[in-house]
Amino acid sequence: GVDDAYDALAAYLENGGGDGLYAKAPASDTVGHVSEDDQGDYPFQFSPALPWRYTTSGFHATSGGYVDQLKFSVGVTSGGNAKVRMSSISGINGALGDMGQNYKNL
């Protein structure tokens, strides 16, 4: 289910991913603002309910020294299955010739 999908994603990032260059972002920023991954019941109070139970982020360092941001939302489908929304954002402006690195990150 949704909890298992989130747990697997978080573990993948925390363990460095397939190439050892992934990392899970901390739950707080440099000035101490805390944003827990588990959104609790908050998304479900809307009408219609938002499907995203967990939101988290991470990073991927490329072999060339670039660091890309990764954003994830883990939620539930209307059928009760887990779904994941993912995005990868280049760490520099103008990363047009990176040979599809953001696609590869995901």
Side-chain angles (χ1 to χ4, degrees):
V2 174
D3 296 331
D4 292 335
Y6 167 77
D7 290 344
L9 172 62
Y12 184 82
L13 294 171
E14 289 167 351
N15 292 318
D19 63 2
L21 299 174
Y22 287 83
K24 188 174 181 309
S28 61
D29 64 15
T30 57
V31 295
H33 300 116
V34 177
S35 177
E36 297 295 335
D37 292 352
D38 187 346
Q39 302 301 306
D41 291 331
Y42 176 73
F44 308 110
Q45 70 183 347
F46 295 94
S47 182
L50 302 174
W52 308 111
R53 175 61 187 256
Y54 297 94
T55 58
T56 194
S57 58
F59 303 96
H60 180 253
T62 69
S63 59
Y66 299 101
V67 178
D68 298 330
Q69 289 184 24
L70 308 172
K71 305 289 184 181
F72 302 94
S73 295
V74 182
V76 62
T77 67
S78 59
N81 297 312
K83 66 179 175 178
V84 179
R85 178 172 56 183
M86 307 179 282
S87 64
S88 176
I89 305 162
S90 295
I92 62 167
N93 294 327
L96 301 175
D98 66 357
M99 308 300 288
Q101 184 61 49
N102 285 309
Y103 174 80
K104 295 173 189 174
N105 287 343
L106 301 174

